[in-house]
Amino acid sequence: MRVLLSGVVGSTAYGLARPGSDVDRLGLFAAPTEEFHGLRRPTESVVRTAPDQTWHEAAKWCRLALAGNPTVTELVWLPSELYEVRTPLGDELIGLRERLLSARAVRDSYLGYATQQLRKLAGRDRTEPATLARAAKHARHLVRLVEQAVALHETGVLTIRLADPERVRELGERIAATPDLAEGLLADAVHRLDRPGALPQAPDEAAVESWLRRVRRAHLTPAQAA
């Protein structure tokens, strides 16, 4: 794969990792342009486990980012030390990160993911220690997603590294034991996200399209690279 940008994401990036935690990696790659002219489209995603690694083809990554996908979006907001591959085209994409955002996509996607985490919590048997530990992980993600969404909406900046990971961990454990505690958190987030914020109503698709066309021109033949 011609990887344009990749880095360490997940609990390590958030500051929630502990000894033994998985190290998750996310990246985007460019398929050779000529592969888009055959009967079958090139592979859009590559997922591997042990260790966990996910790469999305450039066009798919852009579509997911424009839709506000939290996991995909964080790739262009990582602290610099967490990047493992940075090419000139990858740096260009980082430079476009604000243009990928929109108020509606952030609201719908981040709160949608947080609500999914709450549903998972509500459906778990919390009497088993192992199950409770898993529930705590979902609860931490819920808290993180809600706080990131509100901050992103109000400031236009996505902060990956949590300011107080232990507070998020402790709150996650309380929510895991009593999922109803999350309802107030979500309600407050909905209220704040419904107010005017720093994000535009629509992303700058033209700028993203221009970047993607530069990617395609840079990979017209197998011998060329970004």
Side-chain angles (χ1 to χ4, degrees), residues 48-212:
R48 296 173 182 165
T49 58
D52 293 333
Q53 303 175 38
T54 301
W55 293 276
H56 296 301
E57 208 284 322
K60 180 176 181 180
W61 187 95
C62 288
R63 292 194 299 270
L64 291 171
L66 289 168
N69 182 286
T71 303
V72 163
T73 299
E74 68 185 55
L75 179 62
V76 288
W77 293 88
L78 292 176
S80 59
E81 69 271 14
L82 293 181
Y83 285 108
E84 296 181 323
V85 175
R86 288 184 68 162
T87 65
L89 283 168
D91 282 338
E92 284 186 35
L93 187 61
I94 292 174
L96 293 173
R97 61 191 183 185
E98 290 90 354
R99 300 189 185 190
L100 291 158
L101 301 172
S102 63
R104 176 169 299 212
V106 167
R107 185 190 190 284
D108 292 348
S109 191
Y110 277 76
L111 290 188
Y113 274 80
T115 301
Q116 286 180 14
Q117 300 302 320
L118 182 57
R119 291 197 190 104
K120 291 177 181 179
L121 290 171
R124 287 188 179 277
D125 177 4
R126 292 179 294 280
T127 61
E128 293 291 333
T131 302
L132 188 59
R134 185 69 178 172
K137 181 176 181 180
H138 289 307
R140 290 194 296 273
H141 285 307
L142 186 156
V143 174
R144 172 186 59 80
L145 286 163
V146 166
E147 294 188 353
Q148 284 182 327
V150 170
L152 184 52
H153 175 78
E154 294 179 347
T155 69
V157 175
L158 177 60
T159 300
I160 302 298
R161 186 85 68 185
L162 298 173
D164 190 350
E166 287 309 310
R167 180 189 63 81
V168 173
R169 187 177 295 278
E170 187 274 335
L171 181 55
E173 290 175 355
R174 287 198 286 123
I175 291 174
T178 310
D180 289 349
L181 293 175
E183 293 181 1
L185 192 68
L186 283 168
D188 179 67
V190 169
H191 173 69
R192 293 174 70 175
L193 289 170
D194 281 342
R195 296 186 302 192
L199 298 179
Q201 290 304 304
D204 188 348
E205 291 191 4
V208 179
E209 176 81 13
S210 178
W211 176 83
L212 188 57

